[in-house]
Amino acid sequence: AASQGLVADCFGRDDQEAVRDVSLTVFAYSLILGFALSFALWIGDSTTFLLDFFTNDEATQAILSKILALIILAQPLNSIVFAADGVLQGASEFTYQAKAMALSGATAWISFIILQEVYGTTETLLHVWIGLIVLQFMRGITSFVKIVEKDGPIDLLE
């Protein structure tokens, strides 16, 4: 939320260099936080603290253990995508984000359907989480495209 306001402020001052600086700083912090969260979750998983904290039921723990690695590995991606949301919203790219979300959602839905058809419904929870990661991955790609676009509002790579 803070990045949205900071980027919007830079745009209001017509300071393109500040837009890039704020964006790069936000992305750096989000990656650091994403990797830190992944590390903390990995420690929690390695010590079994994480599963034991939420439930003592062995059947539930067995199911959760199948998706925990995906959740841990997805944290840096999630953090960078959420940071990109703030940067793009600060740049007032709401229409682009809506279209990108529709494309990302459709891609995630198709991946889920394919997984269900190919592997059956015995691993539906795993397929849901894979679909969520596909969603975030597509959101990341579409955000990256707009953020580095040469004639775009941010042109991060200039």
Side-chain angles (χ1 to χ4, degrees):
S3 62
Q4 185 177 356
L6 292 170
V7 170
D9 178 61
C10 296
F11 271 111
R13 291 184 282 122
D14 197 28
D15 188 349
Q16 189 63 31
E17 184 177 338
V19 169
R20 281 189 293 279
D21 289 345
V22 166
S23 299
L24 287 171
T25 301
V26 166
F27 290 133
Y29 282 131
S30 71
L31 275 177
I32 290 167
L33 290 171
F35 281 113
L37 180 56
S38 282
F39 182 72
L41 290 171
W42 176 75
I43 294 292
D45 182 36
S46 299
T47 62
T48 70
F49 169 78
L50 197 56
L51 290 176
D52 292 338
F53 180 77
F54 288 104
T55 183
N56 292 328
D57 182 62
E58 290 181 20
T60 303
Q61 286 182 345
I63 292 169
L64 291 176
S65 66
K66 292 180 182 180
I67 63 168
L68 198 50
L70 287 174
I71 295 169
I72 291 168
L73 292 172
Q75 295 316 301
L77 173 63
N78 290 338
S79 67
I80 201 79
V81 168
F82 294 141
D85 284 344
V87 169
L88 288 171
Q89 289 166 10
S92 297
E93 290 293 332
F94 303 108
T95 302
Y96 178 82
Q97 281 189 293
K99 292 174 186 175
M101 187 59 167
L103 174 66
S104 300
T107 304
W109 179 75
I110 290 168
S111 70
F112 174 76
I113 296 300
I114 290 170
L115 287 168
Q116 289 290 95
E117 289 297 319
V118 172
Y119 297 104
T121 59
T122 59
E123 298 291 336
T124 298
L125 182 61
L126 179 63
H127 299 163
V128 166
W129 278 94
I130 291 171
L132 287 170
I133 291 171
V134 169
L135 173 74
Q136 289 295 80
F137 183 73
M138 285 299 298
R139 289 182 65 221
I141 289 172
T142 56
S143 294
F144 179 77
V145 166
K146 190 63 170 181
I147 288 170
V148 301
E149 187 177 59
K150 187 71 176 153
D151 295 325
I154 299 164
D155 188 14
L156 194 62
L157 299 180
E158 182 181 284

